[in-house]
Every structure is written in structure tokens, then in C-alpha cells.
């Protein structure tokens, strides 16, 4: 395949099956099995200030530890949650929906490498929401967000709101 040829032509590049996003000038990767929620999670994060670098393949320069942009249509296998409606330009191919790059917030200067800042493993759950699995050291760093979830509830309007009673 083309990816194998590219890998052999430049062994310092690793092509990872992942979505790649930019956050504050650095790259974040979402890795998962096929159908695991990478693209859906990426689509949601693009609505919250992330920039698009790639979907399905994330080229990583192993020498510089940078993620390179490889923008192409974002491919979704499932309908997305209501607050993240797909644009009219989305192309439906039956089993998949493709959001053209013209409809995505591309990372600024997407053709330059971004330092690899984080790798998240995303797993699809039967309820339809993706979950993130973080190493223990990263879990401690986000304990504040867990506290917010303990003291809030998720309503149909897709917003966290204070619980009516907090124990």
C-alpha cells in the first residue's frame, strides 16, 4: 500500500492509526480500534477550539517527535450527537459520512510539524459516548475535572449543570 511505501521511503516516519488534532500549537492523538470513536471524538473537539491535522493516519516524525498534518475528509461511521451537526457539504456514502476539509477548522499552518503533547486511547461504549483511558499519572492531573463531574449532572441540552442536591 501507499503508506507502506512511504514508511519504507522514510523510516523516521511512523504512520499511526489515529486522529490528530492541534491544541495550543501542540499535537494530540486519538487512537482506537476501527469504529472506536476517533473521528466522532475529533469532530466534537473541533467544535471546542481544536484544529484539524488528520483523521485515520497520523504521520509522526520519530526523530523530532512531531506530528505532521495529513488533512483529508473526516470519515464518520455513526451519526454524531445533536450539538455537533454535520455541515450540508457532508458526503454520505451509505456506510460512511465524509466531512470535506473545507468544512473543518484546519490547524494553523497544518503543513508544519507539531510537538507531540498527548496520546489518548478512545473506546466506543454501547451508550454511544466515547471514553478516554489515561495512564495513572495523567489521571491524577485531571482530578479536578472528575470533581466537576461528581458535582454536576449531564442534561439533554448537552451541558454540565449543578446537581439539585450535593451530598
Amino acid at each position: 500500500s501507499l503508506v507502506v511505501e512511504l514508511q519504507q521511503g522514510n523510516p523516521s516516519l511512523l504512520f499511526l492509526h489515529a486522529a490528530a488534532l492541534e491544541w495550543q500549537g501542540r499535537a494530540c492523538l486519538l487512537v482506537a480500534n476501527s469504529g472506536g470513536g476517533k473521528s466522532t471524538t475529533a469532530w466534537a473537539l473541533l467544535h471546542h477550539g481544536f484544529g484539524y491535522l488528520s483523521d485515520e493516519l497520523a504521520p509522526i516524525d520519530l526523530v523530532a517527535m512531531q506530528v505532521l498534518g495529513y488533512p483529508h475528509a473526516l470519515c464518520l461511521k455513526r451519526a454524531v450527537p445533536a450539538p455537533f451537526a454535520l455541515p450540508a457539504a457532508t458526503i454520505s456514502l451509505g456506510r460512511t459520512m465524509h466531512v470535506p476539509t473545507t468544512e473543518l477548522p484546519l490547524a494553523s499552518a497544518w503543513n508544519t510539524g507539531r510537538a507531540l503533547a498527548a496520546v489518548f486511547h478512545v473506546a466506543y461504549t454501547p451508550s454511544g459516548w466515547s471514553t478516554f483511558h489515561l495512564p495513572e499519572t495523567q489521571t491524577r492531573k485531571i482530578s479536578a475535572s472528575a470533581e466537576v463531574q461528581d458535582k454536576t449532572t449531564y442534561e439533554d441540552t448537552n451541558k454540565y449543570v449543578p446537581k439539585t442536591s450535593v451530598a
Side-chain angles (χ1 to χ4, degrees):
S1 81
L2 178 61
V3 174
V4 172
E5 292 294 323
L6 288 170
Q7 185 85 51
Q8 289 174 341
N10 189 347
S12 68
L13 281 182
L14 170 67
F15 289 85
L16 191 62
H17 181 221
L21 302 174
E22 176 192 45
W23 177 253
Q24 299 179 350
R26 297 165 68 196
C28 301
L29 300 181
L30 305 174
V31 297
N33 293 329
S34 182
K38 294 179 303 299
S39 300
T40 303
T41 304
W43 178 246
L45 291 172
L46 291 173
H47 288 79
H48 291 281
F50 284 75
Y52 181 74
L53 291 171
S54 181
D55 182 39
E56 295 301 319
L57 283 179
I60 303 169
D61 181 329
L62 297 174
V63 174
M65 285 308 292
Q66 292 187 335
V67 177
L68 307 174
Y70 180 62
H72 57 92
L74 183 81
C75 178
L76 299 159
K77 296 180 178 108
R78 293 181 188 84
V80 295
F84 309 116
L86 296 175
T90 300
I91 301 165
S92 178
L93 298 177
R95 294 183 55 190
T96 58
M97 296 161 284
H98 298 262
V99 181
T101 56
T102 55
E103 301 296 321
L104 301 171
L106 293 178
S108 59
W110 62 263
N111 56 344
T112 59
R114 298 288 191 283
L116 179 57
V119 178
F120 297 97
H121 179 259
V122 181
Y124 176 74
T125 59
S127 64
W129 296 99
S130 298
T131 57
F132 294 94
H133 301 280
L134 301 173
E136 180 64 27
T137 56
Q138 295 299 319
T139 304
R140 280 190 231 114
K141 291 180 184 177
I142 62 165
S143 60
S145 68
E147 182 180 19
V148 169
Q149 287 184 345
D150 287 343
K151 295 180 181 174
T152 60
T153 186
Y154 194 74
E155 292 188 345
D156 290 337
T157 56
N158 295 314
K159 296 179 181 172
Y160 282 99
V161 296
K163 288 183 181 177
T164 52
S165 63
V166 178

